[in-house]
Amino acid sequence: MKVTDEIIDRLKAAIHSSRILTDDADLYSFAFDASFGMHKPEIVCQPMSSKEVAAIVQIANQYLVPICPRGRGTSLSGGPLPVKGGIVLDFSLWDTKLEIDEENLVATVSPGVITSTINDAAQQFGLMYPPDPSSAHVSTIGGNLAENAGGPRGLKYGVTKDYVLGLEVVTAAGKIVRTGGKTVKNVTGYDLTKLIVGSEGTLAIITEATLRLIPRPKASMTAMVLFDEIIDSGRAISKVLGSGIMPSKMEMMDQSSIIAVEEYASLGLPIDVEAILLIELDGHPQALMEEMEQVKTVCMNVGARSVRVAQNKEEEMELWKARKLVSPAIVKIKPTKISEDATIPRSQIPEMFRRMKIIKEKYNIHLVVFGHAGDGNLHPNIITDQRDQEEMRRVEMAVEEIFKAAIELGGTLSGEHGIGTMKAPFMEMELGVDGLEMMKSIKEAWDPKNILNPGKIFPVQGERFELRNDY
Amino acid sequence: MKVTDEIIDRLKAAIHSSRILTDDADLYSFAFDASFGMHKPEIVCQPMSSKEVAAIVQIANQYLVPICPRGRGTSLSGGPLPVKGGIVLDFSLWDTKLEIDEENLVATVSPGVITSTINDAAQQFGLMYPPDPSSAHVSTIGGNLAENAGGPRGLKYGVTKDYVLGLEVVTAAGKIVRTGGKTVKNVTGYDLTKLIVGSEGTLAIITEATLRLIPRPKASMTAMVLFDEIIDSGRAISKVLGSGIMPSKMEMMDQSSIIAVEEYASLGLPIDVEAILLIELDGHPQALMEEMEQVKTVCMNVGARSVRVAQNKEEEMELWKARKLVSPAIVKIKPTKISEDATIPRSQIPEMFRRMKIIKEKYNIHLVVFGHAGDGNLHPNIITDQRDQEEMRRVEMAVEEIFKAAIELGGTLSGEHGIGTMKAPFMEMELGVDGLEMMKSIKEAWDPKNILNPGKIFPVQGERFELRNDY
């Protein structure tokens, strides 16, 4: 139902009115995320305690109002957008808790804490919080938890979920519940922690997390490898991993990304190569030297044009600059960026590239591919202009074919961005009717009134993929 | 309901009669596991394909017969015992699939494969399957998946769940469903894979798993550290981990374990120390030398009596022998062993030892403590004789106090053995009413007729902890 004056009055009793936004201008600033689409909330609440969240959810539950948790809006899948209206719960003010328990190697955080500050705090104790989504300096841990964010280090260290030991959550009924704890091993009943992480705010609202930290590696080393043929870069990835080396990062840029970056920043990258691989190793300094030699040999053996190893921290940062500039560079080409994260078993990278080339030509679209190639988590980005209706139809068809290709090759719709609204129509294609039903039955059991972030993950009967805005 | 002749006829149509056991002598051999208790199945089926499992479950579903999956019966929590009667699904014959996909670093296995053979197969490609429960040479991967088995390497490498990318399962309705896939990153909908792993056969029956492999570390090195005071061993663990070193194993034995092993095997262990820590490092040989020096210094600084580093593989095996002999040694003392796995945040190890000492004296029981101290996963074992009714009552009370202590110290009932039947009465103490309700609602949604391994995990209203057999 709609947010009425009665509901607003109830909310004002639950949370200080300075943290309730109803002004149209304010509401507009919560209508977007980093994906495609615009959905204005009816009201924004900015809770700063679990009790406030519980009180707000109880009201939403009573009046059947949708409630959508939100961090800093960097989602690439529409996660925080109130597609069915209702309340947006803005957690960005609630960044007050960031405790490092050095002895137990854990951090306890409130949902509004910026992701990168967790790693910064851990660093002071010689520790590391490994997950590193590209938005880590802006995104909140709450959003990372909801979407199970990944990042380049996922290759060696895994994703957000792999570092969550326990949660405090508020259920759809407005109850405060703790899952897991501070121990790495815990098999007491079902793993609600890992079920809730990545459930995109549809099962419960995360109000606190206990995160696992690990000792920081002593050193790191980066190489930039150039490939005349993109297929050889895929082979290099397999061969490096098969040689017993687990790099901390293995990022790739295709020729379109390289050209875009060069046009944007003139770093002196060779625009005639089909692919660049950036390989970072971390660990003991002595081991790194040896392993980097191995990496060099392996890459040259599969046909790399050259391998350049950074000799110091400055050179290392210089090499990474190319990869970091891809996103800013490509939005200069055309204003609309459709960023996907179809993920495939890494052995299928060469075949996936072959198929994407065909799709690009078939629909005459501007397709740029880069991403976390080491774990098969590519980022095909389509650069377009949403005002061009005809082109948008071609983009829709191309995206659909990219998803189909990923699934045919044994991959998945989403490696780290989440399903949100845009990928919902493809869920059945990957999961089958029964798999989707198993997920739905959990949602229905936990949130029978469908108030928690409705309209996400699950496709509406007969829903088709469409790139449009609700302006 | 009971397994009638009609049901047996139906089962014989679903699976070859040579793999259906109804003989009383046969049924008895499936009435035990490595925990406490005896529950004879009404019938045993030995499926060797997903289709057979699906057909059997469909029959169980139609006639409301309990169905309990079983590997090789090494469970320490009663996991495979048919406490409500019905069908035991014995997977031990179905060890036919063990495929290593070298390029994607994954293994695909059928449920009856022996755990250690997966690691052996991976080793031929320079890879490793890290989870190493003590029973790895006997237990099946299906059982490990159902219980989310751990092991010493859990400290650095995590547990079974951390290595599962995808599953094929049979649902309570007898449908074959695939979850996850072959990619390390996958956020397409809810994480059914990690929900099913560790659910003790109560949510779905696992018929195939896709497991993640990692490059094998190049070398390992082991030290045995002696402590006059057990509290110092706890401090040593914290200090080593705080110094930026992540050992692959950190196992401890208390004085009772040391004495038991010495009496059993005369290895020349000092019986006057309060604790032994066995610390294994793995990684690059050069790094190991350096890190082991650091470990030595840290341990001596917190008051270790001595640190002995194995100089070669033989010495390494010699040092580990002490730890490996604890279980066989203690069952020589008295015939009944109650093996627990209460797990605590590692900073609480000294306090947990203090409390267990009090409990031991209060109830006058033979308590032996050893286990995976590095991750707080201790194994308090009570050595007793189940024929001594009076002692068994004291043991019950002692176990209850150990669980309470673990939970009070921020720990969990079970680190790696599972809840099964014995720990069910304590679930609410750890999870609270609401947490337990959230778990139950998943069970009810997925298995409304409660045919999948009934009587496990969830306590019956008012159930009390009792050590008794249904002889």
Side-chain angles (χ1 to χ4, degrees), chain B residues 450-466:
Chain B
N450 194 25
I451 57 165
L452 296 180
N453 214 4
K456 308 296 164 64
I457 298 183
F458 299 106
V460 178
Q461 187 79 37
E463 187 180 354
R464 283 216 41 165
F465 176 60
E466 238 180 293

Side-chain angles (χ1 to χ4, degrees), chain A residues 103-105 125 147-148 150-152 154 159 161-162 169 171 175-178 182-192 194-196 198-200 202-203 214-216 218 238 241-242 244-246 284 286-287 290-291 294 341 343-348 372 375 377 410-419 427 430-431 434-435 438-439 441-443 445-446 457-458, chain B residues 103-105 125 147-148 150-152 154 159 161-162 169 171 175-178 182-192 194-196 198-200 202-203 214-216 218 238 241-242 244-246 284 286-287 290-291 294 341 343-348 372 375 377 410-419 427 430-431 434-435 438-439 441-443 445-446 457-458:
Chain A
E103 260 192 298
N104 290 310
L105 307 187
F125 299 93
E147 302 291 335
N148 191 20
V159 295
K161 181 172 295 185
D162 299 311
V169 301
T171 68
K175 287 183 177 167
I176 300 171
V177 173
R178 287 198 165 268
K182 264 196 173 187
T183 63
V184 175
K185 286 179 175 168
N186 182 328
V187 294
T188 299
Y190 302 156
D191 194 337
L192 303 187
K194 288 188 161 56
L195 177 63
I196 293 168
S199 68
E200 308 190 14
T202 64
L203 290 180
I214 60 172
R216 257 175 79 78
K218 292 191 174 63
S238 286
L241 292 166
I245 296 169
M246 183 56 94
H284 187 276
Q286 192 70 36
E290 243 184 77
E291 288 184 350
Q294 266 182 280
D341 65 328
T343 300
I344 44 171
R346 63 173 73 84
S347 65
Q348 299 286 10
H372 322 310
D375 51 23
N377 181 199
T412 181
L413 288 172
S414 180
E416 56 180 15
H417 294 172
I419 297 301
M427 289 287 279
E430 178 170 342
L431 301 168
D434 296 322
M438 288 169 88
M439 293 186 187
S441 68
I442 297 174
K443 169 71 174 171
W446 282 16
I457 298 184
F458 299 107
Chain B
E103 261 192 298
N104 290 310
L105 306 187
F125 298 94
E147 302 291 335
N148 191 20
V159 295
K161 182 173 295 185
D162 299 310
V169 300
T171 68
K175 286 184 176 167
I176 299 170
V177 174
R178 286 198 166 268
K182 265 198 173 187
T183 62
V184 174
K185 288 179 176 166
N186 182 328
V187 293
T188 299
Y190 303 155
D191 194 337
L192 303 187
K194 288 190 160 57
L195 177 62
I196 294 168
S199 67
E200 309 190 14
T202 65
L203 290 180
I214 61 172
R216 259 175 77 78
K218 291 191 175 62
S238 285
L241 291 166
I245 295 168
M246 184 55 95
H284 187 273
Q286 193 70 34
E290 243 184 77
E291 289 184 349
Q294 268 182 278
D341 64 327
T343 300
I344 46 172
R346 63 173 73 85
S347 65
Q348 300 285 10
H372 322 310
D375 52 22
N377 182 198
T412 181
L413 288 173
S414 180
E416 57 179 15
H417 293 171
I419 297 301
M427 288 288 278
E430 178 170 340
L431 300 168
D434 296 324
M438 288 169 87
M439 292 185 186
S441 68
I442 297 174
K443 169 71 174 171
W446 281 18
I457 298 183
F458 299 106

